[in-house]
Amino acid sequence: MNKLNCDSCGGEIKPGEFMAVLAEYPTKEYVGRTDSIIKKWVKETDGVIYCRECFESKFEPN
């Protein structure tokens, strides 16, 4: 399985861990492994992937 990394801190997001994907809705269908699909989709839409800590620090009110 390919690794997914947080675009903010660079930390690895392991299977079963929380991740937030912010990207435009896909305009085409993707076929393949989930990690590969997410990487292609996020890259093609200039989206971002966040780990829990970075997502919470950026988007949760203080």
Side-chain angles (χ1 to χ4, degrees):
M1 179 180 284
N2 290 333
K3 294 180 185 178
L4 290 174
N5 294 86
C6 175
D7 289 324
S8 183
C9 71
E12 182 180 349
I13 302 170
K14 295 181 172 76
E17 291 183 338
F18 172 91
M19 72 174 185
V21 177
L22 302 178
E24 293 180 10
Y25 191 83
T27 58
K28 63 181 182 179
E29 292 183 20
Y30 294 93
V31 177
R33 290 191 334 257
T34 304
D35 56 336
S36 295
I37 292 170
I38 292 170
K39 282 184 177 181
K40 288 178 191 174
W41 167 42
V42 169
K43 182 177 180 180
E44 290 176 8
T45 62
D46 293 322
V48 292
I49 299 173
Y50 291 114
C51 66
R52 178 182 301 277
E53 293 79 19
C54 291
F55 179 76
E56 289 176 351
S57 70
K58 289 183 182 295
F59 297 102
E60 284 195 357
N62 292 332

